[in-house]
């Protein structure tokens, strides 16, 4: 069984937090790795409530540098310093080095671990290991911004019976997995001849954005799309898509599950957004602080 991808919504409010909705932060846990998308004010207290040590976080991906998405970085870094973190912390974002330089300047005593700022642009692969990769997607906001796509590597299941038929042995299987084909005598055996491929699961976190066609193209048939849902249908703020439009686009692009987040304080109950949006796209959930979703 593949490992679960567990998402914990740490903050689901918009520019002004409420007692129920903290500033933006989404934690993704997969195969022992903890990744944070955005780090709004109060994120470390939310991490405590979710019973996750901040020391476990290896990478932070900032969608854009509005305070409701990054102001939690300063106290989080202070805590990591006090807890004697030694491992480097990677912080990704558009213009990340400019903001990380400014944040680290704020300390009297320096920080006891390295913070590696990674400047990103839309449509880039920004991280990859043997288990997953993270790419940026284009978003449309009032300042430089990106969304992030987490993609698990595809699973390749070798059918041993088929492999044996082609005369492949242990070390041949390693080679064919790595290079996609192998020469046996005069014959070339392709990986697809002896295996079944299960596509890796995908999650996109949009940050703040209007409707981005590029983002939805990347989100086609995606397992989970976490999208800005600041307003139900009002468009007086031109930097956010309406939740209803997000639902329409999610339906068009066959999103498997849509989690709306980043709600304006004007909405007192989740049902105010959920009911009209589910009429458009039934596979919608409304993110709540400390809600967990497994992919
Ligand atoms: Zn925001």
């Amino acid at each position: 069984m593949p490992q679960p991808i567990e998402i914990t919504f740490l903050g689901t409010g918009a520019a002004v937090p409420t007692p129920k909705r903290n500033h933006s932060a989404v934690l993704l846990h997969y195969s022992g790795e903890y990744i944070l998308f955005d780090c709004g004010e109060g994120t470390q207290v939310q991490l405590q409530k979710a019973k996750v040590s901040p020391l476990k976080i290896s990478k932070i991906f900032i969608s854009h540098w509005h305070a409701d998405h990054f102001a939690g970085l300063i106290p989080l870094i202070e805590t990591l310093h006090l807890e004697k973190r030694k491992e480097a912390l990677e912080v990704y974002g558009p213009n990340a080095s400019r903001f990380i330089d400014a944040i680290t300047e704020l300390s009297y005593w320096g920080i006891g671990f390295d913070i590696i700022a990674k400047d990103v642009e839309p449509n880039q692969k920004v991280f990859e290991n043997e288990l997953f990769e993270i790419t940026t997607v284009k978003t449309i906001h009032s300042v430089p911004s990106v969304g992030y796509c987490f993609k698990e590597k595809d699973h390749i299941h070798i059918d041993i019976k088929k492999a044996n038929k082609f005369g492949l042995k242990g070390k041949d299987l390693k080679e064919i997995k790595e290079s996609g084909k192998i020469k046996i005598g005069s014959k070339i055996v392709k990986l697809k001849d002896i295996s079944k491929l299960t596509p890796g699961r995908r999650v996109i976190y949009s940050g703040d954005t209007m409707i981005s066609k590029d983002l939805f193209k990347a989100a086609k048939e995606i397992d989970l799309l976490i999208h800005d849902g600041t307003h139900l249908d009002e468009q007086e703020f031109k930097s956010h898509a309406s939740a209803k439009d997000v639902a329409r686009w999610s339906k068009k692009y066959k999103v498997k599950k849509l989690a709306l987040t980043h709600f304006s304080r004007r909405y007192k109950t989740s049902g105010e957004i959920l009911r009209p949006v589910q009429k458009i796209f039934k596979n919608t959930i409304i993110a709540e602080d400390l809600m967990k979703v497994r992919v």
Side-chain angles (χ1 to χ4, degrees):
M1 276 294 283
Q3 301 248 20
I5 299 169
E6 188 174 77
I7 309 291
T8 308
F9 292 93
L10 298 173
T12 61
V16 182
T18 71
K20 283 187 179 165
R21 294 196 184 275
N22 213 74
H23 273 164
S24 287
V26 173
L27 183 72
L28 185 150
H29 177 210
Y30 175 67
S31 194
E33 185 127 20
Y34 289 84
I35 297 167
L36 195 58
F37 294 103
D38 283 339
C39 185
E41 174 193 339
T43 295
Q44 55 174 329
V45 174
Q46 297 297 88
L47 281 166
Q48 285 178 27
K49 289 181 188 167
K51 298 191 169 40
V52 175
S53 162
L55 289 163
K56 289 182 174 170
I57 294 169
S58 57
K59 297 169 188 54
I60 301 178
F61 294 87
I62 301 292
S63 63
H64 65 294
W65 296 90
H66 274 152
D68 58 322
H69 295 258
F70 83 85
L73 267 182
I74 303 162
L76 180 68
I77 288 167
E78 292 283 326
T79 297
L80 295 176
H81 174 77
L82 291 171
E83 298 281 12
K84 303 197 172 5
R85 181 183 177 113
K86 290 288 168 250
E87 303 80 41
L89 177 71
E90 294 171 14
V91 182
Y92 297 73
N95 307 321
S97 42
R98 176 187 156 196
F99 285 87
I100 292 301
D101 281 354
I103 287 170
T104 48
E105 276 294 307
L106 292 172
S107 174
Y108 267 124
W109 53 75
I111 297 163
F113 59 96
D114 289 332
I115 303 178
I116 303 167
K118 306 250 190 186
D119 295 338
V120 306
E121 290 185 3
N123 305 317
Q124 269 185 337
K125 187 188 285 182
V126 294
F127 177 78
E128 181 175 23
N129 65 14
E130 64 282 3
L131 295 172
F132 64 89
E133 61 182 48
I134 295 192
T135 51
T136 50
V137 289
K138 191 180 171 199
T139 53
I140 305 161
H141 197 46
S142 51
V143 296
S145 65
V146 293
Y148 292 99
C149 180
F150 170 97
K151 185 182 182 300
E152 181 188 32
K153 292 281 172 80
D154 297 338
H155 296 284
I156 297 161
H157 306 276
I158 294 205
D159 185 329
I160 295 294
K161 273 189 187 164
K162 277 188 185 171
N164 287 344
K165 253 191 195 168
F166 284 103
L168 302 186
K169 299 193 180 68
K171 66 171 178 32
D172 302 330
L173 298 181
K174 191 169 178 275
E175 188 181 332
I176 198 168
K177 251 187 157 176
E178 280 168 10
S179 59
K181 60 186 178 195
I182 192 168
K183 199 169 179 195
I184 299 286
S186 59
K187 218 174 161 192
I188 300 229
V189 183
K190 289 185 180 155
L191 182 59
K192 66 175 172 28
D193 298 332
I194 60 154
S195 66
K196 190 175 144 242
L197 190 138
T198 310
R201 293 160 290 176
R202 289 176 298 141
V203 177
I204 282 182
Y205 170 68
S206 77
D208 292 3
T209 184
M210 300 182 71
I211 292 292
S212 159
K213 196 172 180 182
D214 285 24
L215 182 147
F216 277 95
K217 277 187 187 165
K220 193 170 184 217
E221 295 174 10
I222 200 165
D223 299 278
L224 177 65
L225 171 60
I226 302 165
H227 201 287
D228 179 354
T230 312
H231 305 287
L232 182 56
D233 46 15
E234 291 95 333
Q235 282 284 355
E236 67 260 51
F237 299 102
K238 292 290 181 199
S239 334
H240 303 275
S242 80
K244 283 183 178 173
D245 278 344
V246 175
R248 284 183 198 106
W249 281 72
S250 296
K251 188 177 178 185
K252 185 174 163 194
Y253 280 86
K254 299 187 169 63
V255 166
K256 290 181 192 159
K257 184 179 266 190
L258 167 66
L260 289 169
T261 187
H262 195 272
F263 299 110
S264 162
R265 62 182 159 166
R266 76 178 61 183
Y267 302 106
K268 304 297 178 222
T269 65
S270 302
E272 288 172 68
I273 309 153
L274 186 63
R275 277 188 296 272
V277 168
Q278 270 193 333
K279 280 184 190 157
I280 300 166
F281 185 59
K282 70 173 180 348
N283 299 341
T284 306
I285 59 169
I286 300 297
E288 310 287 349
D289 282 22
L290 302 175
M291 176 193 266
K292 285 183 193 292
V293 174
R294 278 189 166 199
V295 179

